[in-house]
Amino acid sequence: MSPIRWCCLPILLLVAGCSKPSLVGTWDVASLGHTTTETFKADGTYTLVTDSNGLKTKQTGTWTADNGELILTGTGVSYEGANAVTKKVFGNEKADQATSPPVTFPFRWTSNDSLEVTYAEDTTMVLRREK
């Protein structure tokens, strides 16, 4: 290996070792007995799907993450498996989501494939990357 390549190797290792984990991908969310999956796409959009007792809720929106803050802006909510009462109660929520201000959640990485998100005063949920 040439001397120039030897000089570049430590720089490449330093850059590779300092790269930040990415939220892009699909994550399982540990929450209160619900099955929840969140997908963050490279284009800045996300989908959050929760299945709770046969009612599947799908939220869509945009996301950004920087300096330990995850910012979500909802653009829509849809429901599957909802009975007529549930649809009547929640039917207007899509319009409300589209006009909601962005919501900021502090987070911290616990590994490249796991992070903790604080969603209510000292309450956290754990997101683990799907393999």
Side-chain angles (χ1 to χ4, degrees):
M1 187 182 284
S2 74
I4 293 175
R5 287 187 183 169
W6 277 110
C7 290
C8 293
L9 184 60
I11 295 169
L12 291 173
L13 291 173
L14 179 64
V15 170
C18 293
S19 64
K20 289 192 223 178
S22 172
L23 275 173
V24 174
T26 300
W27 300 80
D28 290 323
V29 182
S31 61
L32 306 170
H34 308 290
T35 303
T36 304
T37 303
E38 189 151 13
T39 301
F40 295 100
K41 295 182 181 176
D43 67 0
T45 61
Y46 76 90
T47 304
L48 175 79
V49 178
T50 301
D51 191 344
S52 177
N53 298 321
L55 174 62
K56 186 181 266 188
T57 306
K58 179 179 177 183
Q59 179 181 358
T60 57
T62 60
W63 70 276
T64 59
D66 196 23
N67 295 323
E69 291 186 332
L70 173 62
I71 302 169
L72 301 179
T73 304
T75 57
V77 175
S78 62
Y79 303 92
E80 292 178 23
N83 61 31
V85 173
T86 305
K87 286 182 181 178
K88 187 171 185 176
V89 170
F90 294 110
N92 68 339
E93 196 156 330
K94 182 172 182 174
D96 293 345
Q97 282 291 325
T99 58
S100 295
V103 180
T104 301
F105 301 96
F107 76 94
R108 72 177 188 87
W109 292 99
T110 55
S111 75
N112 285 345
D113 296 321
S114 179
L115 63 135
E116 291 179 346
V117 178
T118 302
Y119 64 94
E121 290 201 26
D122 293 322
T123 306
T124 60
M125 62 183 158
V126 176
L127 280 70
R128 289 189 175 84
R129 190 182 310 273
E130 286 188 353
K131 299 292 181 188

